[in-house]
Amino acid sequence: MLGLIKYVDEVNLVHGATHTITDPTTDVVKSIEQRAYAAGLKLLRAQVRHLGTEQNLEILKSIAAYLADKIEMRFKTEVADLLSVKEGGGHRATGVVLKGGEELLADKVVVAPGRDGSAWLTEVLKKRRIKMQSNQVDIGVRVETSDVVMREINEHLYEGKFVFNTSVGTRVRTFCSNPSGHVVVENHSGIMAANGHAYKDPALGSANTNFALLVSHKFTEPFDKPNEYAREICERANDLSGGGVIVQKYGDILRGRRSTAARIKEGFLEPTLKEAVPGDLGLVLPYNTMKSLIEMVEALDKVTPGLASEHTLFYGVEAKFYSARPQLTDRLETEIAGLYCGGDGAGITRGLAQAGAAGVWIARAIADRLERAGGKEANAAALL
Ligand SMILES: Cc1cc2nc3c(=O)[nH]c(=O)nc-3n(C[C@H](O)[C@H](O)[C@H](O)COP(=O)(O)OP(=O)(O)OC[C@H]3O[C@@H](n4cnc5c(N)ncnc54)[C@H](O)[C@@H]3O)c2cc1C
């Protein structure tokens, strides 16, 4: 996997990615790791190459320009269904049908519809009796604090990835940290959830750092609807905030009272998500989820003093839906011969580099198979 990630990183570099990368082996990082350890937090040391929202767009444009005369790409073209035929005891992929009825025939089909398309993928695969696994969802908040509080981690790690086991048996992790970033609303097919991003250009930055705090929820039989569970929690926050996300000061959470516009204004932090509505996340999040978040913030405060301050903001709800995962071979081929699934939508990746790596892995598997079959013409439809 690491080899594939390195390959994806090299492609990004060729297409304009920054050469700056963090070094997680310095003495400062070792000291952060030791303080974390003492507070019951595990630091997952990783190299981070921060592309930034705007640089990522330029890289994708450059890759698209490079591919333009090599493959046919269609945008704003929805795939309605897959095409397959019965063969032997199973099925074989024969292409896809577009919304509107046009058929694209192919004997190798790669489907990577992302999180937004995961419900669609589940539906079309279930129709063909492909078993799907799904028992986990991560629910939490987007935390926003001052760059002042996060300075050491921002400078030396860019993103501090920590995990923590709580007293109520849950595991909490930090995720997707954005120094000088902005909290944003993410639209999950009509359900609004918190997220965050940061620009590469300091002139576009804020004075705040945001990151997700996520509590893993794993369910056992008979319950098999983790995403629906998380969606309902997000919907409750949407209802209470008039369709968006709630913002609450950490001090108000500890006091068990709602935040109001006046209380937020009294705080030291200016929320970067202006449309977030001051309210009470205690009305939204289950007790153990909230308790887990509070325990995590108190532990993190020992590594980044000031995080557990009155003024820190919680935006809720943030949720990471795990797409249902179809049964796949080690080459990411489904039980339908010639149908490959990759990326976040198939529940096998959770980030840009991993999703890219899955795509490369599938492309190599197909190239290898065509080469072994002696075929020169790759009749493959790739949905990216
Ligand atoms: C606000 C935000 C910030 C993020 N920040 C980071 C970060 O800092 N670092 C990081 O590593 N990751 C980050 N991510 C996650 C990252 O964007 C995803 O992990 C990655 O894009 C997954 O790639 P993918 O190819 O699997 O899916 P996607 O990039 O979602 O692409 C899937 C595509 O398929 C299309 N599609 C879906 N269904 C159909 C259909 N039926 N027919 C045709 N097309 C269809 C979709 O419209 C979409 O264009 C962030 C995500 C968000 C939303």
Side-chain angles (χ1 to χ4, degrees):
M1 186 66 178
L2 205 56
L4 283 170
I5 297 276
K6 284 206 168 114
Y7 174 77
V8 171
D9 190 42
E10 280 160 20
V11 172
N12 284 338
L13 286 171
V14 168
H15 289 279
T18 174
H19 283 260
T20 309
I21 192 161
T22 59
D23 177 2
T25 61
T26 62
D27 286 346
V28 179
V29 176
K30 283 180 189 156
S31 149
I32 294 171
E33 188 175 31
Q34 189 181 4
R35 274 181 279 141
Y37 204 88
L41 291 156
K42 183 166 173 53
L43 172 70
L44 307 175
R45 282 207 250 150
Q47 285 181 294
V48 176
R49 188 188 306 286
H50 177 239
L51 306 177
T53 303
E54 74 279 43
Q55 192 176 88
N56 197 34
L57 181 63
E58 292 310 313
I59 293 168
L60 292 176
K61 278 195 206 159
S62 170
I63 292 174
Y66 169 77
L67 290 173
D69 60 356
K70 298 176 180 66
I71 59 171
E72 184 192 332
M73 290 181 271
R74 294 203 200 172
F75 298 97
K76 296 191 175 164
T77 308
E78 194 176 328
V79 175
D81 206 349
L82 305 171
L83 291 170
S84 60
V85 289
K86 279 195 177 167
E87 195 176 74
H91 284 82
R92 182 170 59 78
T94 56
V96 297
V97 193
L98 303 184
K99 199 173 170 188
E102 187 187 348
E103 293 190 353
L104 301 179
L105 301 182
D107 49 22
K108 301 277 181 287
V109 177
V110 183
V111 189
R115 296 235 178 101
D116 247 16
S118 70
W120 167 79
L121 182 62
T122 302
E123 188 191 312
V124 295
L125 291 182
K126 273 194 171 168
K127 244 178 17 189
R128 289 165 177 84
R129 301 217 159 81
I130 303 282
K131 281 190 217 91
M132 308 291 288
Q133 281 178 345
S134 143
N135 71 345
Q136 184 174 345
V137 72
D138 293 345
I139 300 166
V141 290
R142 178 82 20 188
V143 177
E144 186 165 55
T145 182
S146 167
D147 280 348
V148 174
V149 170
M150 298 299 291
R151 187 189 52 79
E152 193 184 34
I153 287 186
N154 291 353
E155 278 178 21
H156 295 276
L157 284 162
Y158 188 83
E159 168 164 28
K161 285 180 185 286
F162 296 97
V163 290
F164 181 71
N165 293 332
T166 68
S167 68
V168 289
T170 53
R171 175 166 276 211
V172 192
R173 65 186 170 106
T174 58
F175 178 73
C176 181
S177 187
N178 294 292
S180 309
H182 291 86
V183 178
V184 292
V185 174
E186 185 183 1
N187 184 337
H188 280 284
S189 310
I191 288 159
M192 304 302 161
N195 209 317
H197 78 120
Y199 294 106
K200 189 92 197 142
D201 181 354
L204 301 172
S206 73
N208 297 349
T209 295
N210 69 71
F211 58 86
L213 271 193
L214 298 167
V215 186
S216 296
H217 291 66
K218 278 194 184 140
F219 298 94
T220 52
E221 282 184 6
F223 189 68
D224 66 351
K225 297 190 185 88
N227 287 343
E228 287 81 347
Y229 176 81
R231 271 200 191 99
E232 276 173 22
I233 290 176
C234 291
E235 271 176 329
R236 210 175 299 155
N238 294 167
D239 286 345
L240 287 165
S241 61
V245 301
I246 292 174
V247 59
Q248 190 173 12
K249 272 164 66 178
Y250 187 65
D252 289 333
I253 290 172
L254 294 184
R255 285 188 191 90
R257 68 179 191 189
R258 67 163 295 184
S259 283
T260 59
R263 284 175 186 154
I264 297 276
K265 210 164 171 213
E266 278 165 14
F268 294 167
L269 285 175
E270 199 180 326
T272 54
L273 180 63
K274 305 290 174 220
E275 61 265 42
V277 174
D280 188 357
L281 288 165
L283 295 174
V284 176
L285 293 170
Y287 174 77
N288 273 1
T289 309
M290 185 62 103
K291 186 164 167 48
S292 303
L293 295 171
I294 292 171
E295 285 185 16
M296 176 72 163
V297 167
E298 297 297 327
L300 282 171
D301 191 66
K302 303 206 170 69
V303 185
T304 48
L307 188 69
S309 94
E310 165 86 22
H311 309 282
T312 294
L313 300 172
F314 273 19
Y315 294 85
V317 174
E318 177 148 349
K320 294 293 165 231
F321 300 96
Y322 284 70
S323 306
R325 183 195 274 241
Q327 199 164 310
L328 296 169
T329 66
D330 59 358
R331 309 205 116 194
L332 304 185
E333 191 173 8
T334 63
E335 292 164 59
I336 300 174
L339 177 68
Y340 297 78
C341 285
D344 289 17
I348 57 165
T349 65
R350 305 186 64 70
L352 287 164
Q354 292 172 8
V360 173
W361 183 251
I362 293 171
R364 287 181 184 168
I366 293 174
D368 185 41
R369 184 164 287 182
L370 291 174
E371 201 178 291
R372 274 193 280 128
K376 286 209 162 74
E377 302 238 335
N379 185 18
L383 314 177
L384 293 169

